[in-house]
Amino acid sequence: MDSKEEIARLDQSMFLWLHYCERLMIFKAREGHCIIPKDYPDTPLRQWLAQQQEFINLYSTNQSIELRSVQLKVLHAMGVHGSKRHTALPQLSSRMLKRKCPSRKKDKKRCH
């Protein structure tokens, strides 16, 4: 893939991620939390949040994920933690947030 195409793909991916962050922030402003109930009508937002929570769970157990460190920091700042399925797993700590993730140029690799 051409580097311009790769950058365009990454930019589009980040734009979509930020779009869902904005929708989650609107939900949080209205509800006061980031816990979306199963019967909430915005299914894409629910699914996106579940995926982000799964990434946090994987990251908290030192597994590779497809998020940049800045994305983890944003989720953490918004109050998003791992999914309820994994309540025994630790929440994202400041130590975990300091681990290095690939830069934009090396984004084909995953955080670990």
Side-chain angles (χ1 to χ4, degrees):
M1 183 185 298
D2 174 272
S3 62
K4 287 183 181 181
E5 290 174 355
E6 186 173 340
I7 290 170
R9 182 186 56 79
L10 292 173
D11 287 346
Q12 183 179 16
S13 173
M14 184 57 91
F15 177 80
L16 185 59
W17 190 86
L18 289 170
H19 171 74
Y20 278 106
C21 277
E22 182 179 18
R23 288 167 61 180
L24 183 59
M25 285 188 277
I26 291 167
F27 175 88
K28 183 178 180 177
R30 186 178 57 243
E31 304 295 329
H33 56 77
C34 289
I35 302 168
I36 298 178
K38 290 181 181 180
D39 62 346
Y40 189 67
D42 189 347
T43 303
L45 180 60
R46 262 194 354 246
Q47 292 171 339
W48 176 84
L49 180 58
Q51 183 182 42
Q52 304 314 296
Q53 291 171 321
E54 188 61 30
F55 285 149
I56 291 170
N57 289 334
L58 292 171
Y59 191 75
S60 69
T61 59
N62 295 320
Q63 296 182 45
S64 296
I65 62 170
E66 296 181 10
L67 288 179
R68 298 178 188 146
S69 61
V70 68
Q71 291 171 298
L72 288 168
K73 290 175 184 178
V74 168
L75 292 169
H76 187 70
M78 289 174 57
V80 176
H81 302 288
S83 65
K84 291 181 181 179
R85 284 192 312 231
H86 303 293
T87 52
L89 295 177
Q91 292 184 350
L92 197 60
S93 70
S94 57
R95 176 187 58 77
M96 292 174 183
L97 288 172
K98 291 178 183 172
R99 286 203 322 236
K100 299 240 181 201
C101 288
S103 70
R104 183 173 270 246
K105 293 177 185 174
K106 300 176 184 176
D107 211 18
K108 286 185 180 179
K109 295 182 181 179
R110 297 175 179 195
C111 295
H112 56 276

